[in-house]
Amino acid sequence: GYAGLPETVKAGTRLTMVNESETEAHELVAIRLPDDEERGVGEIVKLPPEELAGFFPGVATVILAAPGDQGIAVEGNGVLSEPGRYAIICVIPTGADPMEYLSAAEEAQGGPPEVEGGPPHIVNGMYAEVIVEG
């Protein structure tokens, strides 16, 4: 999960991430949810992958971190500037080789890279919700 992530932040807040895992790469993908979306993030992450992908146009920022490292923004700049409700997720496959994933992420265009591994970290509870206030 995400430790220390506040439930509510002000618009303009820059998110940062430190990966305390010794073996897994992690990411913080912040997706602004549509205003009319009423389901909680816990329900949304259980959707089939093709339905979950329908939310990806709302990605505000992506922060990646190797094991034991500070995260770096690879999409956006880490700032949540638009008020609303955000899903915070990690879709890196469980057990994926961290360096392979990070390398593939540099080359990926418009979505998560395809690498070997188990189910995405969201299946293991790596998701949260943040409200951005105006």
Side-chain angles (χ1 to χ4, degrees), residues 29-73:
V29 179
I31 302 171
R32 188 180 184 291
L33 299 172
D35 291 334
D36 62 351
E37 179 57 60
E38 296 180 3
R39 292 174 288 190
V41 173
E43 287 180 73
I44 292 170
V45 299
K46 293 177 183 167
L47 293 171
E50 59 277 359
E51 288 185 48
L52 182 61
F55 289 95
F56 283 18
V59 170
T61 195
V62 177
I63 301 171
L64 281 174
D69 274 348
Q70 177 83 24
I72 58 167

Side-chain angles (χ1 to χ4, degrees), residues 15-20 26 63-73:
L15 299 180
T16 60
M17 182 175 84
V18 175
N19 183 357
E20 294 181 358
H26 286 296
I63 301 171
L64 281 174
D69 274 348
Q70 177 83 24
I72 58 167

Side-chain angles (χ1 to χ4, degrees), residues 10-134:
K10 297 282 186 200
T13 297
R14 180 179 308 275
L15 299 180
T16 60
M17 182 175 84
V18 175
N19 183 357
E20 294 181 358
S21 170
E22 295 179 12
T23 59
E24 299 269 342
H26 286 296
E27 65 185 351
L28 184 154
V29 179
I31 302 171
R32 188 180 184 291
L33 299 172
D35 291 334
D36 62 351
E37 179 57 60
E38 296 180 3
R39 292 174 288 190
V41 173
E43 287 180 73
I44 292 170
V45 299
K46 293 177 183 167
L47 293 171
E50 59 277 359
E51 288 185 48
L52 182 61
F55 289 95
F56 283 18
V59 170
T61 195
V62 177
I63 301 171
L64 281 174
D69 274 348
Q70 177 83 24
I72 58 167
V74 295
E75 185 172 332
N77 60 5
V79 174
L80 300 182
S81 56
E82 187 177 348
R85 200 164 61 103
Y86 288 75
I88 308 296
I89 64 171
C90 179
V91 294
I92 294 176
T94 302
D97 177 272
M99 293 308 115
E100 178 186 352
Y101 187 88
L102 295 171
S103 177
E106 287 181 22
E107 299 171 15
Q109 300 292 321
E114 297 288 328
V115 297
E116 294 287 323
H121 288 149
I122 57 174
V123 171
N124 299 317
M126 195 159 189
Y127 59 85
E129 181 174 312
V130 172
I131 306 291
V132 176
E133 298 177 335

